[in-house]
Amino acid sequence: MFDLSGKAALVTGASGGIGGAIARALHAQGAVVTLSGTRADALEQLKGTLGGRTHVIAARMDDAADIERLAKEAEAAMGKIDILVNNAGITRDNISMRMKDEEWEKVLEVNLTGTFRLTRAAMRGMMKRRAGRVINITSIVGVTGNPGQANYAAAKAGLIGMSKSLAQELASRGITVNCVAPGFIATPMTDVLTDDQKKAILGRVPASRLGTPEEIAAAVVFLASDEAAYVTGQTLHINGGMAMI
Amino acid sequence: MSDIADRVKKIVVEHLGVEAAQVKEDAKFIDDLGADSLDTVELVMAFEEEFGIEIPDDAAEKIQTVGDAIGFIKGNAKS
């Protein structure tokens, strides 16, 4: 089950905690993987641990031309893109009263607009092959909201609506579009929280622990597989029971 | 140049699964040949590949009939 041999996957934000775990899991299932992100050294390091069947293409998700180039180079490197995992994302947290336009715009640009642009660029090949998997990494806060994250929550909610629309447009071509919505996951992003903050968060998680990047990656592997062909337009929440939606 | 018309019609027949006799020059892809909006995008992609041309989005939107496609390609084809 969930064998990805012969499939070609592009993972953005692969230098991050969750993105790296997703890339490793897809690779372990047999896929050829292209790692993308802004930190080329971190991507090369991950490539070193994965070994063969791995490519690195650094790209900025706030630059339309760079996104086009990423899609083209990934297709050239792997011959095709079967699986697109839009995981790249940034935060610029601030309470709304103090949030600057640039903080709002930057988060929307990278997390939502960049994802749309890359997906549109990858769609052409998928339509021709009558097969494809688009998996957008959203967040629990896209559904529940979170104080200090109006920009991030808006972008993540936007991904869910976008994914449902794309899923309807592309279903007849064998392309599925789904979201994975992590809750609180142990990554460098959550490492910076204080012990008191972590305690407060865990008080809201029935599972009483942070999730692991591998638990997110497992969901991505499932959605990327042939077995998930009839799953589309869905958001899979992985949050230890923190929100049951 | 009539070769272009034949090649266009062949692509339309294959892609939309319609009878060759239906593919007249005044036939509209969506209204007459049962194409959906994605089909029209895919037909443009197929024409681009067959004739080695780029069909910009604003031109693609104006290609609504088989004759529109043939006309555009005749005006822009390299071979």
PDB file of all heavy atoms in Angstrom, chain A residues 177-198:
ATOM      1  N   VAL A 177      -6.970  17.251  -5.197  1.00  0.00           N
ATOM      2  CA  VAL A 177      -6.409  18.401  -4.480  1.00  0.00           C
ATOM      3  C   VAL A 177      -6.938  18.347  -3.050  1.00  0.00           C
ATOM      4  O   VAL A 177      -8.153  18.398  -2.828  1.00  0.00           O
ATOM      5  CB  VAL A 177      -6.829  19.731  -5.139  1.00  0.00           C
ATOM      6  CG1 VAL A 177      -6.129  20.904  -4.452  1.00  0.00           C
ATOM      7  CG2 VAL A 177      -6.526  19.724  -6.629  1.00  0.00           C
ATOM      8  N   ASN A 178      -6.050  18.202  -2.106  1.00  0.00           N
ATOM      9  CA  ASN A 178      -6.450  18.085  -0.702  1.00  0.00           C
ATOM     10  C   ASN A 178      -5.551  18.930   0.184  1.00  0.00           C
ATOM     11  O   ASN A 178      -4.467  19.357  -0.234  1.00  0.00           O
ATOM     12  CB  ASN A 178      -6.354  16.619  -0.256  1.00  0.00           C
ATOM     13  CG  ASN A 178      -7.398  15.734  -0.908  1.00  0.00           C
ATOM     14  OD1 ASN A 178      -8.583  15.806  -0.580  1.00  0.00           O
ATOM     15  ND2 ASN A 178      -6.978  14.913  -1.869  1.00  0.00           N
ATOM     16  N   CYS A 179      -6.026  19.129   1.414  1.00  0.00           N
ATOM     17  CA  CYS A 179      -5.229  19.845   2.406  1.00  0.00           C
ATOM     18  C   CYS A 179      -4.917  18.936   3.583  1.00  0.00           C
ATOM     19  O   CYS A 179      -5.720  18.070   3.941  1.00  0.00           O
ATOM     20  CB  CYS A 179      -5.997  21.051   2.947  1.00  0.00           C
ATOM     21  SG  CYS A 179      -6.214  22.380   1.763  1.00  0.00           S
ATOM     22  N   VAL A 180      -3.779  19.166   4.182  1.00  0.00           N
ATOM     23  CA  VAL A 180      -3.454  18.575   5.474  1.00  0.00           C
ATOM     24  C   VAL A 180      -3.307  19.737   6.453  1.00  0.00           C
ATOM     25  O   VAL A 180      -2.592  20.698   6.168  1.00  0.00           O
ATOM     26  CB  VAL A 180      -2.153  17.751   5.409  1.00  0.00           C
ATOM     27  CG1 VAL A 180      -1.732  17.295   6.801  1.00  0.00           C
ATOM     28  CG2 VAL A 180      -2.342  16.546   4.483  1.00  0.00           C
ATOM     29  N   ALA A 181      -4.021  19.643   7.575  1.00  0.00           N
ATOM     30  CA  ALA A 181      -4.026  20.743   8.541  1.00  0.00           C
ATOM     31  C   ALA A 181      -3.401  20.304   9.859  1.00  0.00           C
ATOM     32  O   ALA A 181      -4.076  19.700  10.705  1.00  0.00           O
ATOM     33  CB  ALA A 181      -5.457  21.233   8.764  1.00  0.00           C
ATOM     34  N   PRO A 182      -2.123  20.589  10.044  1.00  0.00           N
ATOM     35  CA  PRO A 182      -1.474  20.226  11.308  1.00  0.00           C
ATOM     36  C   PRO A 182      -1.977  21.096  12.461  1.00  0.00           C
ATOM     37  O   PRO A 182      -2.308  22.268  12.261  1.00  0.00           O
ATOM     38  CB  PRO A 182       0.011  20.506  11.054  1.00  0.00           C
ATOM     39  CG  PRO A 182       0.154  20.678   9.572  1.00  0.00           C
ATOM     40  CD  PRO A 182      -1.171  21.182   9.093  1.00  0.00           C
ATOM     41  N   GLY A 183      -1.999  20.515  13.655  1.00  0.00           N
ATOM     42  CA  GLY A 183      -2.194  21.300  14.881  1.00  0.00           C
ATOM     43  C   GLY A 183      -0.824  21.733  15.370  1.00  0.00           C
ATOM     44  O   GLY A 183      -0.015  22.211  14.579  1.00  0.00           O
ATOM     45  N   PHE A 184      -0.548  21.553  16.653  1.00  0.00           N
ATOM     46  CA  PHE A 184       0.771  21.945  17.160  1.00  0.00           C
ATOM     47  C   PHE A 184       1.763  20.810  16.992  1.00  0.00           C
ATOM     48  O   PHE A 184       1.601  19.733  17.565  1.00  0.00           O
ATOM     49  CB  PHE A 184       0.669  22.404  18.614  1.00  0.00           C
ATOM     50  CG  PHE A 184       0.238  23.831  18.692  1.00  0.00           C
ATOM     51  CD1 PHE A 184      -1.106  24.153  18.839  1.00  0.00           C
ATOM     52  CD2 PHE A 184       1.160  24.860  18.552  1.00  0.00           C
ATOM     53  CE1 PHE A 184      -1.517  25.468  18.857  1.00  0.00           C
ATOM     54  CE2 PHE A 184       0.753  26.188  18.566  1.00  0.00           C
ATOM     55  CZ  PHE A 184      -0.592  26.498  18.728  1.00  0.00           C
ATOM     56  N   ILE A 185       2.756  21.057  16.190  1.00  0.00           N
ATOM     57  CA  ILE A 185       3.743  20.046  15.829  1.00  0.00           C
ATOM     58  C   ILE A 185       5.105  20.504  16.351  1.00  0.00           C
ATOM     59  O   ILE A 185       5.433  21.690  16.291  1.00  0.00           O
ATOM     60  CB  ILE A 185       3.807  19.887  14.290  1.00  0.00           C
ATOM     61  CG1 ILE A 185       2.416  19.627  13.708  1.00  0.00           C
ATOM     62  CG2 ILE A 185       4.784  18.778  13.898  1.00  0.00           C
ATOM     63  CD1 ILE A 185       1.708  18.389  14.210  1.00  0.00           C
ATOM     64  N   ALA A 186       5.895  19.558  16.836  1.00  0.00           N
ATOM     65  CA  ALA A 186       7.235  19.895  17.338  1.00  0.00           C
ATOM     66  C   ALA A 186       8.170  20.188  16.171  1.00  0.00           C
ATOM     67  O   ALA A 186       8.596  19.274  15.459  1.00  0.00           O
ATOM     68  CB  ALA A 186       7.772  18.728  18.174  1.00  0.00           C
ATOM     69  N   THR A 187       8.456  21.464  15.949  1.00  0.00           N
ATOM     70  CA  THR A 187       9.367  21.904  14.886  1.00  0.00           C
ATOM     71  C   THR A 187      10.133  23.113  15.411  1.00  0.00           C
ATOM     72  O   THR A 187       9.794  23.646  16.475  1.00  0.00           O
ATOM     73  CB  THR A 187       8.599  22.354  13.618  1.00  0.00           C
ATOM     74  OG1 THR A 187       7.861  23.538  13.957  1.00  0.00           O
ATOM     75  CG2 THR A 187       7.666  21.293  13.087  1.00  0.00           C
ATOM     76  N   PRO A 188      11.126  23.572  14.652  1.00  0.00           N
ATOM     77  CA  PRO A 188      11.800  24.813  15.058  1.00  0.00           C
ATOM     78  C   PRO A 188      10.817  25.965  15.263  1.00  0.00           C
ATOM     79  O   PRO A 188      11.049  26.851  16.072  1.00  0.00           O
ATOM     80  CB  PRO A 188      12.752  25.082  13.881  1.00  0.00           C
ATOM     81  CG  PRO A 188      13.053  23.734  13.330  1.00  0.00           C
ATOM     82  CD  PRO A 188      11.779  22.951  13.484  1.00  0.00           C
ATOM     83  N   MET A 189       9.673  25.941  14.524  1.00  0.00           N
ATOM     84  CA  MET A 189       8.674  27.008  14.662  1.00  0.00           C
ATOM     85  C   MET A 189       8.044  27.006  16.055  1.00  0.00           C
ATOM     86  O   MET A 189       7.711  28.049  16.603  1.00  0.00           O
ATOM     87  CB  MET A 189       7.567  26.835  13.602  1.00  0.00           C
ATOM     88  CG  MET A 189       7.152  28.101  12.855  1.00  0.00           C
ATOM     89  SD  MET A 189       5.630  27.829  11.899  1.00  0.00           S
ATOM     90  CE  MET A 189       6.135  28.282  10.260  1.00  0.00           C
ATOM     91  N   THR A 190       7.853  25.803  16.632  1.00  0.00           N
ATOM     92  CA  THR A 190       7.243  25.730  17.965  1.00  0.00           C
ATOM     93  C   THR A 190       8.287  25.628  19.076  1.00  0.00           C
ATOM     94  O   THR A 190       7.960  25.829  20.242  1.00  0.00           O
ATOM     95  CB  THR A 190       6.272  24.533  18.057  1.00  0.00           C
ATOM     96  OG1 THR A 190       6.912  23.363  17.551  1.00  0.00           O
ATOM     97  CG2 THR A 190       5.017  24.786  17.277  1.00  0.00           C
ATOM     98  N   ASP A 191       9.534  25.335  18.730  1.00  0.00           N
ATOM     99  CA  ASP A 191      10.605  25.273  19.738  1.00  0.00           C
ATOM    100  C   ASP A 191      10.787  26.603  20.453  1.00  0.00           C
ATOM    101  O   ASP A 191      11.228  26.650  21.600  1.00  0.00           O
ATOM    102  CB  ASP A 191      11.950  24.892  19.084  1.00  0.00           C
ATOM    103  CG  ASP A 191      12.044  23.392  18.819  1.00  0.00           C
ATOM    104  OD1 ASP A 191      11.171  22.659  19.320  1.00  0.00           O
ATOM    105  OD2 ASP A 191      12.979  22.968  18.109  1.00  0.00           O
ATOM    106  N   VAL A 192      10.479  27.692  19.755  1.00  0.00           N
ATOM    107  CA  VAL A 192      10.723  29.013  20.338  1.00  0.00           C
ATOM    108  C   VAL A 192       9.678  29.383  21.395  1.00  0.00           C
ATOM    109  O   VAL A 192       9.851  30.363  22.118  1.00  0.00           O
ATOM    110  CB  VAL A 192      10.751  30.111  19.245  1.00  0.00           C
ATOM    111  CG1 VAL A 192      11.880  29.846  18.263  1.00  0.00           C
ATOM    112  CG2 VAL A 192       9.421  30.197  18.512  1.00  0.00           C
ATOM    113  N   LEU A 193       8.614  28.587  21.507  1.00  0.00           N
ATOM    114  CA  LEU A 193       7.604  28.877  22.528  1.00  0.00           C
ATOM    115  C   LEU A 193       8.192  28.636  23.918  1.00  0.00           C
ATOM    116  O   LEU A 193       9.028  27.755  24.115  1.00  0.00           O
ATOM    117  CB  LEU A 193       6.378  27.962  22.330  1.00  0.00           C
ATOM    118  CG  LEU A 193       5.607  28.109  21.017  1.00  0.00           C
ATOM    119  CD1 LEU A 193       4.557  27.013  20.902  1.00  0.00           C
ATOM    120  CD2 LEU A 193       4.950  29.473  20.923  1.00  0.00           C
ATOM    121  N   THR A 194       7.748  29.435  24.897  1.00  0.00           N
ATOM    122  CA  THR A 194       8.202  29.230  26.273  1.00  0.00           C
ATOM    123  C   THR A 194       7.493  28.009  26.858  1.00  0.00           C
ATOM    124  O   THR A 194       6.477  27.545  26.332  1.00  0.00           O
ATOM    125  CB  THR A 194       7.858  30.447  27.158  1.00  0.00           C
ATOM    126  OG1 THR A 194       6.430  30.537  27.234  1.00  0.00           O
ATOM    127  CG2 THR A 194       8.439  31.723  26.567  1.00  0.00           C
ATOM    128  N   ASP A 195       8.038  27.487  27.982  1.00  0.00           N
ATOM    129  CA  ASP A 195       7.419  26.327  28.628  1.00  0.00           C
ATOM    130  C   ASP A 195       5.987  26.635  29.036  1.00  0.00           C
ATOM    131  O   ASP A 195       5.095  25.776  28.933  1.00  0.00           O
ATOM    132  CB  ASP A 195       8.239  25.902  29.854  1.00  0.00           C
ATOM    133  CG  ASP A 195       9.502  25.152  29.436  1.00  0.00           C
ATOM    134  OD1 ASP A 195       9.605  24.786  28.239  1.00  0.00           O
ATOM    135  OD2 ASP A 195      10.379  24.942  30.294  1.00  0.00           O
ATOM    136  N   ASP A 196       5.761  27.866  29.516  1.00  0.00           N
ATOM    137  CA  ASP A 196       4.400  28.244  29.916  1.00  0.00           C
ATOM    138  C   ASP A 196       3.450  28.228  28.722  1.00  0.00           C
ATOM    139  O   ASP A 196       2.309  27.758  28.819  1.00  0.00           O
ATOM    140  CB  ASP A 196       4.403  29.655  30.537  1.00  0.00           C
ATOM    141  CG  ASP A 196       4.853  29.605  31.998  1.00  0.00           C
ATOM    142  OD1 ASP A 196       4.964  28.474  32.524  1.00  0.00           O
ATOM    143  OD2 ASP A 196       5.090  30.669  32.568  1.00  0.00           O
ATOM    144  N   GLN A 197       3.941  28.724  27.580  1.00  0.00           N
ATOM    145  CA  GLN A 197       3.108  28.722  26.364  1.00  0.00           C
ATOM    146  C   GLN A 197       2.793  27.289  25.937  1.00  0.00           C
ATOM    147  O   GLN A 197       1.662  26.965  25.588  1.00  0.00           O
ATOM    148  CB  GLN A 197       3.838  29.456  25.227  1.00  0.00           C
ATOM    149  CG  GLN A 197       3.813  30.976  25.345  1.00  0.00           C
ATOM    150  CD  GLN A 197       4.662  31.645  24.272  1.00  0.00           C
ATOM    151  OE1 GLN A 197       5.790  31.238  24.013  1.00  0.00           O
ATOM    152  NE2 GLN A 197       4.103  32.672  23.637  1.00  0.00           N
ATOM    153  N   LYS A 198       3.825  26.439  26.000  1.00  0.00           N
ATOM    154  CA  LYS A 198       3.606  25.042  25.601  1.00  0.00           C
ATOM    155  C   LYS A 198       2.599  24.364  26.525  1.00  0.00           C
ATOM    156  O   LYS A 198       1.736  23.610  26.074  1.00  0.00           O
ATOM    157  CB  LYS A 198       4.935  24.274  25.636  1.00  0.00           C
ATOM    158  CG  LYS A 198       5.795  24.511  24.408  1.00  0.00           C
ATOM    159  CD  LYS A 198       7.000  23.594  24.406  1.00  0.00           C
ATOM    160  CE  LYS A 198       7.960  24.000  23.300  1.00  0.00           C
ATOM    161  NZ  LYS A 198       9.291  23.429  23.442  1.00  0.00           N
TER     162      LYS A 198
END
